[in-house]
Amino acid sequence: MKLATCQNHTRDGQLMVVSRDLSRAVAVPHIAATLQQALDNWAQAEPQLQQVYIALNQGEAASAIAFDAARCLSPLPRAYQWADGSAYLNHVELVRRARGAEVPDSFYHDPLMYQGGSDAFLPPCAPIPLRDEAWGLDFEGEVAVVTGDVPLGADAAACASHIRLLLLVNDVTLRNLIPGELAKGFGFFQSKPATAFSPVAVTPDELGDAWQDGKVHLPLLVDYNGACYGKPNAGVGMQFSFPQLVAHVARTRELVAGSIVGSGTVSNHDRSVGSCCLAEQRMIEIIDTGAAITPFMKVGDTVRIEMKDAAGLSIFGAIAQTVVKHD
């Protein structure tokens, strides 16, 4: 099943069921006005949404309209929780190597994670506002899951059953603000502005055999300024699966329905597949030559993040954003 949130006169938008080929959509206010409402009442809402989805794919939804990703908000325009991990240790290893530091052993068995701002997410086709190019704007292509209610202390096996949806992420980062913030010993804040998510969120069964062991075994496609920048496989090199990441969050707290947990920047050891962020390429340049050459994003730059199935069809729709000056 595929779900999206269309812009309307409300802050949380209107829930839409979207056809598998992303061509048609239908509003379902009789089931749930918003995605959050559906997640809060998933046991009752999910079978009804599935019936609409089947009818839509069979061409039997009379009220269906053309689906327009440009009119979408992020599937959850705001969320109760946005926790982002760093499950691809190649990314971590490159960053540490570039500054001559070893990766602590704990990183291989205890996930890195930070708590991001979740009060307002960027729409998937909305501009990325930038006040100062000196802040070092970067994109980060990721995958994330949306959970139902997760009990305190749930282990990974239990957490797997609480994963409701998957979606793509552009975890926008201001790289040059990070060192000063981390030096304070209190984590990210100003260096992590609003995040954007894919137009469509999908249930795990939509991925078929690509959803295995709590990972998505498909390339994440990143285009930068109209050219292919990276296509690493999201199922390769992921040290911690999504159930493990969710269990990490649940170790000391409950998660409420609508919580989002991210994978961190998708990254493979194979350099030929490129990267999902500019910082990773900069780290490779530092390791190889002693200096970073690749600049960070500037006003007018574009990024597109997408994932396609074996037939070449877009699964989640695309995050497609342009950097704009914010005064």
Side-chain angles (χ1 to χ4, degrees):
M1 181 168 58
K2 299 192 176 188
L3 303 172
T5 295
C6 185
Q7 297 175 9
N8 65 3
H9 61 281
T10 68
R11 179 174 289 181
D12 295 310
Q14 181 178 53
L15 176 62
M16 307 286 287
V17 178
V18 183
S19 62
R20 181 168 286 114
D21 64 2
L22 306 184
S23 67
R24 307 287 285 171
V26 61
V28 286
H30 59 291
I31 301 174
T34 67
L35 180 54
Q36 184 61 54
Q37 288 181 13
L39 290 163
D40 285 339
N41 193 35
W42 193 250
Q44 289 71 41
E46 190 270 342
Q48 298 178 64
L49 293 170
Q50 283 283 7
Q51 289 180 357
V52 174
Y53 185 60
I54 292 170
L56 183 61
N57 287 319
Q58 292 177 344
E60 298 172 357
S63 57
I65 61 173
F67 177 65
D68 183 2
R71 295 190 63 241
C72 286
L73 302 171
S74 281
L76 285 167
R78 52 181 173 164
Y80 291 114
Q81 174 81 262
W82 161 228
D84 198 18
S86 190
Y88 296 90
L89 291 190
N90 180 60
H91 179 77
V92 179
E93 290 165 353
L94 286 172
V95 172
R96 304 284 293 195
R97 279 183 61 197
R99 66 172 189 252
E102 295 291 327
V103 178
D105 180 67
S106 63
F107 284 24
Y108 294 92
H109 55 79
D110 190 30
L112 289 168
M113 189 166 287
Y114 82 94
Q115 190 169 39
S118 61
D119 53 326
F121 297 131
L122 291 174
C125 298
I128 303 172
L130 178 61
R131 293 185 61 200
D132 189 342
E133 289 186 357
W135 289 347
L137 178 65
D138 199 357
F139 54 84
E140 289 191 63
E142 307 183 11
V143 184
V145 297
V146 181
T147 76
D149 292 316
V150 181
L152 170 67
D155 62 14
C159 287
S161 68
H162 296 295
I163 292 174
R164 301 286 182 250
L165 300 165
L166 292 103
L167 60 175
L168 305 183
V169 188
N170 181 13
D171 184 37
V172 182
T173 302
L174 300 171
R175 297 289 184 187
N176 292 338
L177 299 185
I178 289 178
E181 289 203 305
L182 294 186
K184 296 178 181 179
F186 220 51
F188 302 125
F189 194 84
Q190 291 181 340
S191 53
K192 289 290 187 178
T195 302
F197 295 88
S198 53
V200 174
V202 309
T203 49
D205 61 287
E206 285 293 322
L207 298 172
D209 292 341
W211 176 247
Q212 296 181 29
D213 304 320
K215 304 174 185 179
V216 180
H217 295 265
L218 287 170
L220 184 61
L221 310 175
V222 178
D223 287 357
Y224 182 42
N225 289 331
C228 177
Y229 187 81
K231 51 182 180 179
N233 191 303
V236 175
M238 190 178 185
Q239 182 77 8
F240 305 100
S241 69
F242 279 112
Q244 289 174 311
L245 292 174
V246 175
H248 181 78
V249 181
R251 182 184 181 193
T252 61
R253 70 186 75 182
E254 296 178 346
L255 282 77
V256 299
S259 294
I260 306 174
V261 179
S263 66
T265 306
V266 177
S267 179
N268 294 171
H269 282 92
D270 180 2
R271 290 190 183 183
S272 69
V273 299
S275 302
C276 286
C277 69
L278 297 173
E280 189 167 299
Q281 179 58 35
R282 288 170 59 88
M283 295 306 104
I284 291 172
E285 291 165 356
I286 290 172
I287 292 166
D288 289 350
T289 70
I293 300 170
T294 299
F296 289 119
M297 300 182 82
K298 60 184 183 300
V299 172
D301 284 349
T302 63
V303 62
R304 181 183 178 91
I305 300 170
E306 192 172 17
M307 184 175 279
K308 296 182 179 181
D309 63 19
L313 299 177
S314 183
I315 299 171
F316 302 89
I319 300 171
Q321 299 181 279
T322 301
V323 180
V324 299
K325 176 66 176 175
H326 186 279
D327 296 321

